[in-house]
Amino acid sequence: MSCRVTDHALATVDRYRERLAAFTALPSVGGDPAQARAMEDTRSFLEGLIAEAGFTNQRRLGPADSGHQALYAERLEHPGAPTLLVYGHYDVQPPEPYDLWHSPPFEMTERDGRLYARGISDDKGPLLIALHALAAFEAVDGTLPLNVKLLIEGEEETGSPSMPAILNENADLLSADAMLSADGGRWRADLLTLNVGSRGSGGFEITLRTAAKDLHSGRYGGAVPNALHEMARLLAGLHDDAGRITCPGFTDGLPEPDADERAEMANIPFDEGAFADALGTVPQGEDGYTTLERLWLRPTVELNGMWGGHTGAGGKTVTPAEAHAKITLRFPPGQDAARAQDAVIADLRARTPAGATLDVFDVRQATDAASVPQGHPLLIACGDALEAVHGHRPRHVRMGASLPLVNMIKDVLGIETVMFSFSTSDEDFHAPNEFLRAASIPEGIAAWVAVLRRAGALDVDAFTPYRG
Amino acid sequence: MSCRVTDHALATVDRYRERLAAFTALPSVGGDPAQARAMEDTRSFLEGLIAEAGFTNQRRLGPADSGHQALYAERLEHPGAPTLLVYGHYDVQPPEPYDLWHSPPFEMTERDGRLYARGISDDKGPLLIALHALAAFEAVDGTLPLNVKLLIEGEEETGSPSMPAILNENADLLSADAMLSADGGRWRADLLTLNVGSRGSGGFEITLRTAAKDLHSGRYGGAVPNALHEMARLLAGLHDDAGRITCPGFTDGLPEPDADERAEMANIPFDEGAFADALGTVPQGEDGYTTLERLWLRPTVELNGMWGGHTGAGGKTVTPAEAHAKITLRFPPGQDAARAQDAVIADLRARTPAGATLDVFDVRQATDAASVPQGHPLLIACGDALEAVHGHRPRHVRMGASLPLVNMIKDVLGIETVMFSFSTSDEDFHAPNEFLRAASIPEGIAAWVAVLRRAGALDVDAFTPYRG
């Protein structure tokens, strides 16, 4: 083993770029039926690269007649060595609105050190970084330093509807010691980090009915309930004036962050004012916590939508009989998500005024927060790899958002996932003018070569304590 | 003067019905440009009836090039006698949804003592009652018992956009001692009433902004404000737990109903439970007041619409940056409407959280409640007329809704308006299957003959104290 693989991988970065241009030229918008042909072209494109990197047993997973199949392939040439499941996805968000793009979304364009294209940051660039590193091992050594299984999804941007079935039906095929994901996103461009956890999530919708029909607000106003007022009161009552969620039982068992944890977070360079300024807002949340604590260690009940009555142009003198809200929840480590979600629903029901009815529906299965254990060998290997490339160790950080796939992988395959993408969270994925920093490409390639080599050096038994 | 006019008017009720059938067969939907021809046919139809009733100086008021002109005519044959301005309107609400009608909306159909057609209760039947009574005087006496000016509007159902200009530009032409309106609606079928007042009204819209753009509810939730939460809190804070409006200064100067007033209202037969049951709701409002007191003597701040964030199908993990609400207010007698509306807006501004912005727009001019003074000669004449027809005096009641025209008439012409319609408020105007009780027709005809005769007997000076 030498630096020859890294050298080769970096020396061929032009080929990486050519391929990235070809990959991003394919409008693989999974949610758009009109792009079914482009999705198939994209699968064929990737299958060619995967074969070139020496992978075998290629197959497609999931239903062929609906949605978009995931690609699978493997190189299992080192009995007794660890096996990594490497994840990425080939579908992209829709490009609309076109008129806000400064260059065509399916024509990779470089400006000021940034490569612009739909899907380039999420997830084509990072996925191709992983494949480029894997191909470099093939080109130089003719083999990989460990066993690798590839799982490249085509439905990530449409909610991964087939993934639970794919995992359950192919659990043996996909079995591995850990998953290394080329998806996700680095927190910040100015701080080297590794993400070690995400909040769990839940959600539901509610409809409140206070009368059989809308009533004239002049003829009846003041003597009958108004569904919008009652909804406003219900929703305002979810938090107290200190920003704390007040639903009885909601935080039962949720530990307060301890002094060490708080000190560690306080030590992360983070400018609350600049953070809020960039969003055109002010820091606001539960009293007594910093912004990072609020994002990483505290739960939320968020209103995603709220509506009722006349919402069109002009006035209408109506006392609405129905009001609606869409609500999602986030759960930090240590919170029993299912119990907490039930507590919110129970509180809304308990506070529904007499004579009104509350329908709670589309209740999602609440998922607990995910955390990669600090001692997990792949997490350590990723840290080592980043240190080798950057000269210093990454900070461990969490994210406020949720990673449903990570929960699914843990539940079905019993393994941990480390996110090792080289996109950055500010790169406007899901928005016009998505870009990837050009400098991230060599960093990512070098880091993927380094982590594969380090993971290959691990004793397979080191993973055992972390497998479910 | 004798009962001969009443006898004639009632003996020719078949002709009334034929004309009502012809009148309601004209689809005079003023808001539908496709019915412009029907609107013109309706004007011509009425002009024929008006001429037949002996009126002269017919003309059309208001802009001819936009909207629908009002009809004017007069019989001013009794110098020194009172002059009444008689009001009605010839436009109707749209008939949609057609499929809910049990008989065609523009084909008058009788079932179980009810005559069904769009506009038959609002306001074609009641307007034709007034015209039928006026025509009976012409047929029997060759003159009216007093001076009458007709004002028949064609834009009532579309918000009377031309009426302020019509009144201002024709103030001399329209000058009178009082207005008698064939529009409105009797409160209940089971109680003889005269409406002596309505609440004033106001309204505005608000938009609350808490950030420059919508944010991901996982990535940012808990550390940034959510516009929907803040809007819910703002709106929930308009009332206290006792249902009282809490905006500082809102009720300044508003008198509490006195014991006599409360006793009088308590004496009106009214079943709160049945009222709420019929609406599929429960009585709810300011603690310490009855339903009628809440409707007639207390103010409201009503949410007519509220919305923000994702309101379509499915979920979206968004922390919305904007929330919206449409608000209307009602003001009882004794409340300074403009000051009260300002107090609500000032309170919303004062409670807008730091870092958020509140836009208040489309602010309507707040109007005070309207009340016909108890001693007004036309009100007394109307009571006498109803007593003559029904054998007992009507109760004086108020309404919770507002009558902008009554305020306009008072402001511009300086005169009071008495509502003397023979529709009833449960007759589904503005809804499918609008109807007029057949029994209301002879009652109304007899009452209009009686009130015209009684008003003609009044001394014109009796109106002087009530003219502005």
Side-chain angles (χ1 to χ4, degrees), chain A residues 32-391:
Chain A
D32 182 356
Q35 298 295 11
R37 175 77 224 182
M39 288 296 283
E40 179 56 30
D41 289 347
T42 307
R43 286 187 285 272
S44 300
F45 172 83
L46 284 174
E47 284 166 338
L49 294 190
I50 290 166
E52 196 184 301
F55 281 79
T56 58
N57 194 23
Q58 283 211 40
R59 58 180 78 181
R60 295 179 175 187
L61 306 182
D65 52 347
S66 67
H68 295 289
Q69 291 183 290
L71 307 182
Y72 173 83
E74 63 191 25
R75 286 193 80 164
L76 307 176
E77 297 153 6
H78 302 283
T83 301
L84 283 190
L85 182 62
V86 170
Y87 171 87
H89 66 89
Y90 65 88
D91 59 321
V92 304
Q93 282 278 316
E96 291 81 4
Y98 280 99
D99 57 333
L100 296 184
W101 285 81
H102 301 309
S103 54
F106 298 106
E107 195 177 308
M108 190 177 89
T109 306
E110 184 162 9
R111 290 193 297 276
D112 299 328
R114 297 173 169 198
L115 297 165
Y116 290 85
R118 166 52 79 228
I120 198 164
S121 178
D122 180 18
D123 175 41
K124 289 180 171 179
L127 169 60
L128 216 52
I129 285 173
L131 292 178
H132 190 78
L134 290 164
F137 280 102
E138 164 68 8
V140 175
D141 294 339
T143 189
L144 300 179
L146 77 175
N147 302 307
V148 170
K149 296 178 175 182
L150 293 177
L151 176 64
I152 306 180
E153 190 185 1
E155 297 182 341
E156 201 277 341
E157 300 296 0
T158 50
S160 301
S162 309
M163 191 49 72
I166 289 174
L167 295 180
N168 279 297
E169 290 164 15
N170 302 282
D172 286 341
L173 183 72
L174 297 168
S175 69
D177 294 300
M179 184 161 104
L180 188 60
S181 174
D183 193 26
R186 296 184 290 181
W187 183 30
R188 283 154 58 179
D190 63 348
L191 193 69
L192 187 65
T193 59
L194 260 179
N195 183 354
V196 298
S198 54
R199 286 193 286 195
S201 67
F204 54 89
E205 296 196 22
I206 57 175
T207 292
L208 182 72
R209 289 187 185 80
T210 56
K213 57 181 178 181
D214 288 355
L215 298 171
H216 189 290
S217 62
R219 290 182 182 275
Y220 298 102
V224 295
N226 180 316
L228 303 187
H229 282 288
E230 298 308 323
M231 181 63 96
R233 183 190 300 263
L234 266 187
L235 298 177
L238 290 168
H239 297 80
D240 64 17
D241 288 343
R244 184 173 289 262
I245 296 161
T246 50
C247 310
F250 179 74
T251 50
D252 282 3
L254 175 63
E256 283 292 317
D258 64 29
D260 286 353
E261 207 168 8
R262 301 190 79 160
E264 192 181 335
M265 291 187 71
N267 200 29
I268 294 172
F270 181 78
D271 183 335
E272 292 202 348
F275 164 84
D277 285 351
L279 307 172
T281 189
V282 291
Q284 186 181 316
E286 209 175 340
D287 286 356
Y289 298 93
T290 66
T291 290
L292 290 185
E293 289 168 350
R294 288 166 176 169
L295 289 175
W296 296 347
L297 302 180
R298 298 301 298 170
T300 70
V301 178
E302 287 283 316
L303 300 179
N304 310 119
M306 173 174 82
W307 71 102
H310 179 58
T311 59
K316 189 174 180 187
T317 52
V318 64
T319 295
E322 281 194 10
H324 311 271
K326 291 175 191 270
I327 297 172
T328 51
L329 304 94
R330 303 283 167 173
F331 308 107
Q335 189 166 30
D336 181 333
R339 202 166 89 168
Q341 174 158 296
D342 288 347
V344 175
I345 292 172
D347 177 53
L348 290 169
R349 289 199 190 283
R351 292 191 294 111
T352 298
T357 58
L358 185 76
D359 284 347
V360 180
F361 56 100
D362 284 0
V363 180
R364 291 169 42 198
Q365 191 177 342
T367 57
D368 289 346
S371 298
V372 187
Q374 296 285 334
H376 191 280
L378 183 58
L379 181 66
I380 294 168
C382 286
D384 291 346
L386 290 176
E387 185 174 15
V389 172
H390 291 271

Side-chain angles (χ1 to χ4, degrees), chain A residues 184 199 205 210-213 215-233 235-236 238-241 243 275 278-286 291 294-295 299-320 323 326 328 330 353-356 364 399-402 425 428-429, chain B residues 184 199 205 210-213 215-233 235-236 238-241 243 275 278-286 291 294-295 299-320 323 326 328 330 353-356 364 399-402 425 428-429:
Chain A
R199 286 193 286 195
E205 296 196 22
T210 56
K213 57 181 178 181
L215 298 171
H216 189 290
S217 62
R219 290 182 182 275
Y220 298 102
V224 295
N226 180 316
L228 303 187
H229 282 288
E230 298 308 323
M231 181 63 96
R233 183 190 300 263
L235 298 177
L238 290 168
H239 297 80
D240 64 17
D241 288 343
F275 164 84
L279 307 172
T281 189
V282 291
Q284 186 181 316
E286 209 175 340
T291 290
R294 288 166 176 169
L295 289 175
T300 70
V301 178
E302 287 283 316
L303 300 179
N304 310 119
M306 173 174 82
W307 71 102
H310 179 58
T311 59
K316 189 174 180 187
T317 52
V318 64
T319 295
K326 291 175 191 270
T328 51
R330 303 283 167 173
R364 291 169 42 198
M399 62 189 287
S402 305
S425 66
D428 286 329
F429 27 92
Chain B
R199 288 193 284 196
E205 295 195 23
T210 55
K213 57 182 178 180
L215 298 170
H216 190 289
S217 61
R219 290 182 181 275
Y220 298 102
V224 296
N226 178 316
L228 304 187
H229 282 288
E230 297 308 324
M231 180 63 97
R233 183 190 300 263
L235 298 177
L238 290 167
H239 298 81
D240 64 16
D241 288 342
F275 164 84
L279 306 172
T281 189
V282 291
Q284 184 181 319
E286 209 175 339
T291 290
R294 288 167 175 168
L295 288 175
T300 70
V301 179
E302 289 281 318
L303 301 179
N304 310 120
M306 172 174 82
W307 72 101
H310 178 58
T311 60
K316 189 174 179 186
T317 51
V318 63
T319 295
K326 290 175 190 269
T328 52
R330 303 283 168 171
R364 291 170 44 197
M399 62 190 287
S402 306
S425 65
D428 287 328
F429 28 92

Side-chain angles (χ1 to χ4, degrees), chain B residues 256-277:
Chain B
E256 283 293 315
D258 63 29
D260 287 353
E261 206 168 6
R262 302 190 78 159
E264 194 181 333
M265 291 188 71
N267 199 28
I268 294 172
F270 182 76
D271 182 336
E272 292 201 348
F275 164 84
D277 285 350

